[in-house]
Amino acid sequence: MTPFNKPYMTGNEIFYIQEAHANFKLSGDGPFTERCHQWLEQHTGCNRALLTHSCTASLEMAALLLDIRPGDEVIMPSYTFVSTANAFVLRGATPVFVDIREDTLNLDEKLIEAAITPRTKAIVPVHYAGVACEMDSIVAIAERYGLKVIEDAAQGVMSTYKGRALGSIGDLGAYSFHETKNVISGEGGALLVNDAELVLNAEIIREKGTNRSQFFRGEIDKYTWQNIGSSFLPGELIAAFLWAQLQEAEQITRQRLIIWHRYHEMLRSLEDEQYLRRPIVPADCQHNAHMYYILLSPNIDRQVVLDQLKQHEISAVFHYVPLHSSPAGLRYGRVHGHLANTEQLSERLIRLPLWVGLTENQQDGVVSALRQSLGVAS
Ligand SMILES: *Cc1c(COP(=O)(O)O)cnc(C)c1O
C-alpha cells in the first residue's frame, strides 16, 4: 500500500527532546521555543513569532486579538478546513463565504469588495496547497475599508508571494505544524504577528491573559491578569521536536518540490488528453509543494477513480466538503453570491500521495494506477 502521507522525521528530534529533558525545563517558552521563534522571525520577516498548539489555536488567538465580537462578519472561502471558520464563530461572528478562483482554488479577490458590509471586520485568505492568494489586491481592499487581514497559512510554511513569506503579509498569519503538513511537530502551530501594535497583547492572550512574557524578560517586577486569554503555548518537548524540523525546512521543501514537479511532468499527457487539469501556480508565487492535486474532468466519476486507486493499493483522498454546505456552516455562516467554483471544483479534486521518502517507483505506481483507473492504456 502506498500511503497518502507519511510523516518525515530528520532523526535529530529525539536528541533535542533528550536535551530538553536534561534541561529540566518542560513548560513553554524555554530555550527550544526561543530558537524556533528566532528562526521563524528571521525566515519570515514577521515582527514576532509565537509558537502555539496548532494553527487552530493561532486562528483563535487572532480572533481574540482583533476583538472579534458577536455580529461581526469575517470574509473567507468556503473551500477550507473547518478551523478557518470555527475560530471566528467561537467569538460569535459570522463567516461570510466567498467563491474561489478557478485557477488556484484560492479566495477570489475580485469578489471580496462586494461582500463587505458595515459589520465586516476581517478578511481571511487561505493559501491553498501552499500557493499564495493575490495578496496585493487583498491588502489594498482591507486598507481601503479599514479591515484586518489574517492569513491562514497553515499549508504555507516556506512558500512566498513576490518574495515575501506567506503569513508575514497580512496583520497576522497562522502556521500549522500538524503531522500532515510539511514541517511538523505532531500537533503544533505558530502565530506570526506582523502589526507591531498587536505584539504585546498577543503575548498576553497566549499566556492566560497575563503579562508573564514581559515579566520573564525582566521588563516588569511582577505579572498580573491583564486581559482575557488562554493557554496557547506548547511545552518544550514539542518545541524541541520542531527545532529539528525547522533546521531542515529547506531540504524538506526541496525534496517535496522534486516529487511535485515529477508528478506535474508525468501527468501532462493526461491533461493534454483532457482527463484532468493539473495545479496552476501564478508566476508571483513560489510554493512549497505541500500538495499535489488533480481536478478530474467534469464527466469523470471521482468515486470510481478513488475506488480503483484503492484496489491498486494507492491511498488518495479528497477534501474539503465546502463549509457553506456543512451542517455547522449552514447554521453559522452566510454565503455571498454564488459559490459555483467552490461547489464544482471541490467535487472533482483528488490529492495524490506526496511525502519525503516517496520513491520514484511508488510514484510511477501512483501514475500508472491513475491511468488505469481512468481507462487509459499505460
Ligand atoms: C491544517 C489546516 C488547519 C489546521 O491546522 P492545525 O494545526 O491542525 O490546527 C487550518 N487551516 C488549513 C487551511 C489547514 O490546512
Side-chain angles (χ1 to χ4, degrees):
M1 187 77 187
T2 302
F4 172 67
N5 183 50
K6 190 173 167 200
Y8 169 73
M9 283 173 262
T10 69
N12 289 326
E13 290 84 356
I14 199 72
F15 299 115
Y16 290 139
I17 288 171
Q18 228 158 27
E19 196 182 322
H21 184 272
N23 281 344
F24 281 87
K25 169 67 184 166
L26 299 173
S27 61
D29 281 344
F32 281 106
T33 304
E34 187 49 36
R35 282 181 219 177
C36 293
H37 284 175
Q38 279 180 13
W39 189 98
L40 287 166
E41 285 161 16
Q42 279 162 13
H43 283 76
T44 67
C46 72
N47 214 298
R48 185 86 171 95
L50 296 167
L51 291 193
T52 62
H53 295 300
S54 60
C55 179
T56 303
S58 302
L59 292 165
E60 288 175 19
M61 272 186 75
L64 282 165
L65 193 50
L66 298 179
D67 198 24
I68 301 294
R69 291 162 178 257
D72 290 349
E73 294 180 351
V74 180
I75 293 171
M76 63 182 69
S78 167
Y79 187 67
T80 182
F81 187 61
V82 294
S83 298
T84 317
N86 250 326
F88 302 94
V89 172
L90 276 167
R91 308 310 310 156
T94 302
V96 174
F97 299 118
V98 167
D99 207 5
I100 51 174
R101 283 164 52 142
E102 206 271 334
D103 57 354
T104 56
L105 315 191
N106 280 332
L107 187 61
D108 189 338
E109 69 280 357
K110 290 190 211 65
L111 303 175
I112 293 173
E113 203 158 353
I116 295 172
T117 74
R119 290 173 177 265
T120 308
K121 288 284 147 55
I123 306 169
V124 188
V126 178
H127 304 298
Y128 184 66
V131 175
C133 296
E134 186 36 54
M135 291 305 291
D136 279 352
S137 308
I138 293 172
V139 168
I141 293 166
E143 281 175 357
R144 207 168 329 128
Y145 288 89
L147 309 177
K148 298 292 183 185
V149 175
I150 303 151
E151 299 176 67
D152 182 339
Q155 302 175 10
V157 177
M158 302 297 285
S159 291
T160 58
Y161 169 78
K162 299 189 179 175
R164 298 170 70 189
L166 301 193
S168 76
I169 302 165
D171 297 279
L172 296 163
Y175 276 172
S176 174
F177 303 119
H178 186 266
E179 173 180 311
T180 53
K181 302 300 200 284
N182 290 19
V183 173
I184 63 175
S185 62
E187 302 280 352
L191 180 70
L192 306 189
V193 186
N194 304 311
D195 179 348
E197 286 181 13
L198 295 174
V199 170
L200 190 58
N201 216 10
E203 291 178 345
I204 288 170
I205 286 167
R206 178 168 169 270
E207 265 284 18
K208 300 95 184 166
T210 73
N211 50 0
R212 192 168 171 178
S213 301
Q214 275 185 292
F215 173 71
F216 278 134
R217 286 196 296 267
E219 294 167 14
I220 48 175
D221 59 10
K222 66 175 192 305
Y223 73 85
T224 53
W225 188 22
Q226 299 284 321
N227 200 345
I228 56 167
S230 189
S231 180
F232 287 112
L233 66 171
E236 277 284 282
L237 298 183
I238 293 284
F241 192 106
L242 182 62
W243 177 237
Q245 294 266 322
L246 289 175
Q247 287 186 298
E248 285 200 17
E250 272 159 35
Q251 291 96 305
I252 290 170
T253 309
R254 232 180 354 254
Q255 291 186 56
R256 294 185 73 100
L257 280 165
I258 290 170
I259 299 168
W260 194 99
H261 284 291
R262 194 158 182 273
Y263 270 136
H264 210 56
E265 274 312 306
M266 293 173 87
L267 296 173
R268 178 194 299 274
S269 62
L270 287 176
E271 183 175 76
D272 292 343
E273 295 160 49
Q274 292 179 5
Y275 285 98
L276 54 84
R277 201 205 86 191
R278 298 176 302 161
I280 296 170
V281 181
D284 290 331
C285 306
Q286 175 56 57
H287 73 101
N288 61 359
H290 173 60
M291 190 189 301
Y292 198 93
Y293 67 83
I294 53 171
L295 290 163
L296 296 176
S297 289
N299 55 330
I300 297 173
D301 186 334
R302 175 173 68 178
Q303 197 50 51
V304 171
V305 174
L306 286 171
D307 290 345
Q308 294 264 335
L309 287 171
K310 203 166 170 188
Q311 278 180 25
H312 287 94
E313 307 236 298
I314 305 297
S315 173
V317 301
F318 68 86
H319 75 174
Y320 302 102
V321 175
L323 298 184
H324 74 279
S325 62
S326 61
L330 289 166
R331 208 154 355 126
Y332 297 115
R334 178 165 77 70
V335 169
H336 177 80
H338 296 288
L339 305 189
N341 284 340
T342 302
E343 283 167 3
Q344 285 156 26
L345 299 173
S346 66
E347 289 188 349
R348 293 169 43 197
L349 185 133
I350 293 179
R351 304 170 63 188
L352 302 180
L354 200 175
W355 34 274
V356 174
L358 183 78
T359 64
E360 290 195 352
N361 238 337
Q362 285 173 308
Q363 211 180 357
D364 294 345
V366 173
V367 173
S368 110
L370 179 64
R371 294 183 74 89
Q372 288 177 49
S373 307
L374 293 168
V376 186
S378 41

